């Protein structure tokens, strides 16, 4: 018989134990070892049974045990100390506060709103599917540790992401357990009279979408999660937040409208109720939340003495940052324009935001774009004055991919920068690694090092001896072996195996064998099965008599991705072979709980995506923090930080074949080449070095690489470093720009909007009409200078509206300029009889070899964040080449 309603009956804690609620409801426990240990000591068996979840622990621990703890003076002292420590953490000044009170006082934003469709905070709050969510969770946690006044915004998915198991034949099975908020570390945001806070959105046909707001407290950072599963909604609207990345196109659109528009309203509600400072900066983590800009425009247009749409757009852009995580157009959400028009027109329209303006923001207006589609990334970039990719290589890929939005500019000038991702060390570093580091740093310095991340190197770790490092690595490997055996046995039981069939599981893996880890989502570009390219070769590596390897694999395919499921099934079939099943295992239901054992326990982290399709790849960072060496394609973060001593680079086949049909002859050849390179590396370099032992039985060269990884990569991969970069390079400039445009009742926004309109109208008349240079001929001597004179027609524009530049540098055989330098020319006198302005300047020839230059005119205004912001440029007419500086 099935219950028609489900709810949780909560334990009433004795008065002495009330601080346990306070500790349980702040998710800082998920990265604070002392707090987790306190909860474990409440009842170790229940703690393990509830998946190390404090809220569920307090709901299930026997009353007799609670009564005993209420009189246990040692436990109460620990509880009181940790409660006091949490309050100090929440209220005391941290890095951000000390920075604001220093020379940068008044420059840093009072608050930042951070929007993401998913958050990986802890396994106990399953609101994530993969790297995007884990990154967002790490961003919030590091912001908390640094004292950055962030407000997180997302959706509350009643079924979260799916749980994974395997059928007997290795096919992925999905299940969606219903999440009860009463069993999670969330509280309902309420009005002063106790009623739940609500946001309401208009939908087509007179319908409404309402949502309540759950708050999860992530250290100092509130995370607001919107939930549409409330009685005010009809059945269809209640299901908008049913599960992460589920449903069809309209369902996804409604999720993103709720996240963006509803999210801004939730932030306003939260700030009104708590007196939290209003955000000056809005950070859009991927395009899913892009509609937040439309709501903010509507706020400004409909306010008393409101702005026009153009001025409101400029004000919103100034304080908005857009982070892209995808290196391929297929990874971008795109909707049918008619669908978007229906949800932003008629009775569903946002007040003050015409539907044609909405459609223009998401239009694929570039050559090759689809005029029938609405592109969320295009809208995100048009609504943000600042944008970034998530590694240096990904920034370059993004500038190329989105260059159509800035026609006339070379990709390297597209205004998309990069901030390389980082990982939250207190979450991902094993406590045993911290203890070893603390032996040379001291506990406080070790904690500060992994939190703030200001050091360039952790030089003190050079003092840790070889025996200590090797013993640490073996202990972590043994810990993973135990975990893997437990999970493998549970998986086989789910697949229908009986106890009598599973005796072999007790000898799976070996704590003294080189262990390689591979765990991630399973889209085709990540190439889960590249290791299976030559099964006989892989089997020989696994079963080598003197230098064997063992591999632990995990990962989920999207429920709709049968291709990814087939890859999992293929790997599982190989791992099921009795000849090798003690050396390679697939562990289903990859999540944060599994990852915390997997990363530290591996000796080598394998990553073999198609280059350059891995935007960053933070799993390898988490492994590196624990002394694990990376074996990876030079993609994402590994492309910029691999140094030859912190792991190995898998060679890639020649040519950019990342977008090939995977079954094409070229793709087959590429995979064959890269798989062969992978096998050779493992056999002749990785395993050879791991098993190369000295007289004392230690692999000294291997340990040296582990130590080098900790010393050099440790401080680089930190989310603390990442968040500080966001604050200093993006949040602070965005806040300054927002303040400048908002000053004097948004006079700056009005002025900038009017100037942009005038420049756009007048730009067709702007021309470079004549260029000449004084010089002795084509052969020039280094150190000399060319005197340049340029005549420019400006039409209705004024000289102060533009900048005339000379762009010079090395040229290739096609006259393409590389490594360009830019020189601004100065106007020389007023307009001539034809209305042209003369510009002059000296071009110094500071390099030898083939050299060339061109001239261009760009819009120029002090409130622009980039010369390319308007996407307007005037260049000389196409010519056959250059001769002594004269166009011909």
């Amino acid at each position: 018989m099935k219950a028609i309603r489900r709810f949780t009956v909560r334990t009433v804690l004795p008065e002495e134990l009330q601080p346990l609620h306070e500790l349980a409801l702040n998710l800082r426990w998920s990265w604070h070892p002392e707090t987790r240990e306190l909860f474990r000591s409440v009842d170790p068996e229940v703690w393990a049974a509830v998946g190390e979840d404090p809220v569920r622990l307090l709901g299930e621990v026997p009353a007799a045990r609670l009564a005993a703890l209420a009189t246990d003076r040692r436990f109460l002292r620990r509880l009181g100390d940790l409660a006091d420590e949490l309050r100090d953490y929440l209220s005391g000044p941290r890095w951000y506060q000390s920075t604001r009170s220093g020379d940068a006082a008044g420059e840093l934003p009072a608050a930042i709103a951070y929007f993401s469709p998913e958050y990986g905070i802890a396994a106990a709050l399953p609101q994530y599917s993969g790297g995007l969510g884990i990154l967002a969770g790490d961003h919030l946690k590091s912001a908390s540790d640094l004292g950055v006044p962030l407000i997180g915004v997302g959706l509350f998915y009643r079924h979260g992401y799916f749980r994974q198991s395997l059928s007997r034949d290795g096919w992925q099975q999905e299940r969606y357990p219903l999440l009860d908020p009463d069993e999670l570390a969330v509280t309902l945001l309420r009005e002063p009279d106790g009623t739940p806070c609500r946001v309401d959105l208009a939908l087509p046909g007179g319908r409404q979408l309402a949502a309540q707001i759950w708050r999860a407290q992530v250290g100092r950072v509130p995370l607001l999660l919107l939930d549409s599963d409330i009685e005010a909604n009809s059945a269809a609207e209640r299901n908008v937040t049913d599960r992460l990345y589920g449903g069809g196109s309209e369902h996804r659109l409604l999720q993103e409208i709720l996240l963006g528009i509803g999210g801004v309203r939730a932030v306003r509600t939260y700030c009104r109720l708590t007196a939290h400072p209003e955000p000056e900066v809005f950070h859009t983590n991927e395009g899913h939340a892009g509609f937040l800009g439309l709501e903010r425009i509507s706020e400004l247009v409909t306010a008393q003495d409101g702005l026009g749409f153009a001025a409101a757009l400029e004000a919103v852009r100034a304080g908005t940052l857009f982070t892209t995580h995808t290196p391929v157009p297929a990874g971008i959400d795109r909707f049918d324009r008619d669908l978007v028009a229906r949800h932003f027109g008629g009775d569903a329209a946002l007040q003050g935001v015409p539907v044609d303006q909405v459609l223009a923001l998401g239009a694929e207006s570039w050559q090759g774009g689809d005029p029938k589609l609405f592109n969320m990334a295009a809208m995100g970039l048009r609504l943000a004055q600042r944008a970034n990719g998530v590694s240096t290589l990904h920034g370059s890929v993004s500038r190329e991919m989105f260059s159509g939005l800035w026609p006339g500019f070379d990709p390297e000038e597209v205004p998309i920068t990069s901030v390389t991702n980082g990982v939250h060390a207190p979450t991902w570093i094993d406590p045993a690694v911290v203890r070893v580091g603390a032996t040379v740093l001291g506990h406080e310095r070790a904690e500060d090092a992994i939190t703030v991340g200001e050091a360039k190197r952790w030089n003190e770790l050079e003092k840790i001896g070889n025996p200590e490092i090797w013993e640490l690595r073996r202990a972590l490997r043994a810990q993973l072996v135990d975990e893997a055996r437990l999970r493998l046995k549970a998986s086989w039981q789910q697949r229908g195996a009986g106890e009598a069939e599973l005796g072999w599981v007790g000898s799976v893996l070996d704590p003294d064998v080189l262990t390689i880890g591979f765990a991630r989502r399973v889209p085709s570009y990540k190439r889960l099965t590249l290791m299976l390219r030559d099964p006989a070769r892989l089997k020989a590596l696994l079963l080598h008599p003197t230098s064997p390897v063992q591999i632990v694999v995990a990962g989920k395919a999207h429920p709709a991705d049968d291709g990814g499921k087939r890859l999992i099934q293929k790997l599982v079939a190989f791992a099921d072979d009795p000849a090798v099943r003690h050396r390679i295992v697939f562990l289903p239901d990859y999540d944060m709980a599994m990852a915390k054992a997997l990363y530290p326990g591996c000796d080598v982290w394998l990553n073999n995506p198609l280059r350059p399709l891995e935007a960053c790849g933070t799993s390898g960072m988490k492994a590196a923090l624990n002394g694990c060496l990376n074996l990876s394609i030079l993609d994402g973060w590994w492309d910029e930080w691999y140094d030859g001593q912190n792991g190995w680079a898998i060679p890639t086949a020649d040519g950019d074949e990342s977008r090939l049909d995977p079954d094409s002859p070229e793709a087959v050849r590429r995979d064959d080449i890269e798989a062969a390179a992978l096998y050779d590396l493992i056999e002749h370099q990785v395993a050879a070095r791991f098993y190369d032992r000295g007289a004392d039985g230690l692999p000294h060269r291997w340990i040296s690489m582990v130590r080098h990884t900790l010393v050099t990569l440790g401080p680089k991969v930190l989310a603390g470093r990442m968040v500080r970069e966001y604050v200093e390079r993006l949040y602070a400039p965005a806040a300054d720009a927002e303040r400048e445009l908002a000053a004097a009742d948004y006079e700056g926004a009005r002025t900038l909007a009017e100037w942009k309109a005038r420049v756009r109208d007048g730009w067709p008349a702007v021309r470079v009409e004549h260029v000449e240079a004084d010089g002795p001929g084509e052969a020039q001597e280094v150190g000399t200078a060319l005197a340049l004179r340029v005549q420019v027609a400006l039409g209705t524009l004024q000289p102060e509206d533009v900048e005339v530049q000379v762009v010079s540098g090395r040229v290739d055989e096609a006259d393409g300029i590389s490594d360009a330098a830019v020189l601004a020319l100065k106007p020389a006198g007023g307009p001539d009889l034809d209305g042209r302005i003369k510009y002059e300047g000296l071009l110094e020839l500071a390099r030898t070899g083939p050299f060339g230059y061109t001239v261009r005119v760009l819009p120029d205004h002090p409130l622009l964040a980039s010369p390319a912001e308007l996407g307007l440029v005037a260049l000389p007419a196409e010519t056959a080449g250059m001769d002594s500086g004269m166009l011909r």
Side-chain angles (χ1 to χ4, degrees), residues 47 175 317 506 508 610 628 635 639 662 883:
W47 177 245
R175 65 188 191 282
R317 290 185 73 254
V508 162
L610 293 177
C628 176
D635 201 3
D639 181 72
D883 184 21

Side-chain angles (χ1 to χ4, degrees), residues 765-776:
V766 176
R767 295 185 304 277
V768 177
E769 295 204 339
H770 184 71
V771 180
E772 62 182 54
D774 291 340

Side-chain angles (χ1 to χ4, degrees), residues 153-285:
V153 184
L155 300 179
F156 181 80
Y157 304 99
R158 288 290 177 141
H159 291 90
Y161 201 52
F162 71 91
R163 304 298 301 272
Q164 178 197 47
S165 59
L166 300 174
S167 68
R168 186 73 188 210
D169 64 356
W171 188 256
Q172 174 178 291
Q173 308 286 303
E174 300 99 22
R175 65 188 191 282
Y176 291 86
L178 179 65
L179 300 178
D180 181 355
D182 288 336
E183 293 181 340
L184 302 173
V186 296
T187 55
L188 202 56
L189 195 62
R190 296 181 182 274
E191 297 288 351
D193 64 2
T195 59
C197 296
R198 215 175 88 178
V199 298
D200 296 280
L201 283 70
L203 297 181
R207 295 177 295 131
Q208 291 281 321
L209 172 60
Q212 60 189 4
I213 306 163
W214 295 99
R215 182 180 74 177
Q217 195 64 36
V218 186
R220 298 166 69 114
V221 173
L223 171 57
L224 309 179
L225 301 171
L226 285 88
D227 174 16
S228 69
D229 188 14
I230 59 176
E231 292 185 1
N233 286 326
S234 66
E237 280 71 50
R238 291 187 74 152
N239 286 333
V240 166
T241 57
D242 61 346
R243 61 189 61 179
L244 184 58
Y245 302 143
S249 184
E250 183 167 17
H251 183 267
R252 186 75 169 263
L253 178 62
L254 287 174
Q255 285 189 335
E256 299 189 1
I257 290 173
L258 180 60
L259 174 60
I261 297 173
V264 172
R265 296 177 186 179
V267 168
R268 303 304 186 203
T269 300
Y270 178 78
C271 292
R272 169 176 59 82
L273 292 173
T274 64
H276 192 289
E278 292 281 353
E280 295 180 279
V281 176
F282 285 75
H283 185 173
T284 307
N285 190 39

Side-chain angles (χ1 to χ4, degrees), residues 54 79 139 161 175 214 231 241 248 254 361 448 464 467 507 564 574 598 623 680 715 722 731 739 759 815 833 848:
L79 174 59
H139 196 108
Y161 201 52
R175 65 188 191 282
W214 295 99
E231 292 185 1
T241 57
L254 287 174
L361 288 167
D448 184 67
I464 303 173
S507 58
F574 181 88
L598 188 53
D680 286 343
M722 173 190 73
Y731 292 164
R739 291 176 195 135
V759 168
D815 289 343
L833 294 177
T848 58

Side-chain angles (χ1 to χ4, degrees), residues 486-812:
L486 288 172
R487 288 180 176 271
L488 189 65
K489 183 175 182 179
S491 173
W492 271 100
Q493 288 172 334
Q494 285 182 320
R495 294 173 69 183
E499 188 74 29
E501 300 177 65
L502 298 178
W504 59 274
V505 173
S507 58
V508 162
L509 306 181
D510 184 327
D512 292 309
V513 167
L514 170 64
T515 304
I516 298 174
F518 183 102
R520 51 194 32 88
R521 291 184 304 110
V522 191
S524 59
Y525 80 87
K526 291 182 183 283
R527 296 194 294 184
L528 169 72
T529 56
L530 187 69
M531 66 180 77
L532 301 182
R533 203 75 188 170
D534 185 343
R537 184 85 187 273
L538 177 59
K539 186 176 290 189
L541 292 173
L542 296 172
L543 302 178
H544 195 283
T546 59
S547 52
V549 302
Q550 58 193 16
I551 306 177
V552 182
V553 185
K556 293 178 176 179
H558 188 280
D561 182 10
D562 282 351
K565 293 179 185 180
R566 281 191 290 272
L567 295 178
I568 291 175
Q569 187 177 42
K570 183 177 180 181
L571 191 134
V572 170
F574 181 88
D576 283 353
D577 182 350
V580 296
R581 65 188 182 187
H582 62 301
R583 286 282 188 258
I584 181 169
V585 297
F586 180 87
L587 304 180
D589 209 24
Y590 178 49
D591 66 358
M592 292 182 72
M594 182 194 297
K596 286 189 176 185
L598 188 53
Y599 295 128
C602 292
D603 299 295
V604 174
W605 195 256
L606 174 62
N607 191 25
N608 46 230
L610 293 177
R611 189 180 192 272
L613 302 187
E614 186 79 275
C616 185
T618 53
S619 62
M621 294 180 168
K622 301 178 185 92
L625 267 179
N626 290 281
C628 176
L629 306 180
N630 274 266
L631 171 61
S632 177
I633 296 287
L634 285 173
D635 201 3
W637 73 276
W638 191 236
D639 181 72
E640 66 191 271
W641 288 339
Y642 165 67
D643 67 6
Q645 298 299 315
N646 51 16
W648 295 269
I650 303 170
T652 51
D654 293 337
D656 180 13
E657 298 166 327
S658 61
R659 293 165 179 81
L660 291 173
D661 177 347
D663 296 321
S664 69
E666 296 86 357
V668 170
R669 171 184 171 275
R670 173 203 61 208
D671 288 352
D672 286 342
I673 291 172
E674 294 184 9
L678 173 61
Y679 297 136
D680 286 343
L681 275 173
I682 293 174
E683 181 177 5
H684 301 300
Q685 296 191 41
V686 181
R689 182 159 295 192
F690 182 85
Y691 290 106
D692 178 20
R693 307 297 166 91
D696 56 2
L698 300 181
H700 293 275
R701 290 199 302 159
W702 183 276
I703 295 170
S704 177
M705 291 180 73
V706 171
R707 185 185 291 109
H708 178 76
T709 292
L710 292 170
V711 168
T712 61
L713 277 184
K716 288 181 179 178
V717 302
L718 297 179
R721 183 269 313 154
M722 173 190 73
V723 172
R724 284 190 298 102
E725 283 194 42
Y726 273 110
V727 168
E728 294 163 353
R729 293 175 48 204
L730 294 167
Y731 292 164
D736 285 343
E738 192 275 339
R739 291 176 195 135
E740 190 163 11
L741 265 64
D745 194 25
Y746 290 96
E747 182 58 33
R750 291 184 172 90
T751 299
L752 182 59
E754 292 167 0
W755 177 84
K756 282 189 175 183
R758 182 167 58 81
V759 168
R760 287 191 179 105
D761 287 343
W763 199 257
V766 176
R767 295 185 304 277
V768 177
E769 295 204 339
H770 184 71
V771 180
E772 62 182 54
D774 291 340
E778 289 190 4
Q780 305 285 342
E781 291 185 356
V782 67
T784 61
L786 296 178
L788 297 177
R789 290 179 295 279
V790 181
Q791 287 184 323
V792 177
L794 295 180
T796 60
L797 302 186
Q798 300 301 311
E800 58 266 26
D801 294 327
V802 304
E803 181 171 275
V804 178
Q805 298 177 341
V806 176
V807 182
S808 63
R810 190 176 301 276
V811 292
D812 58 24

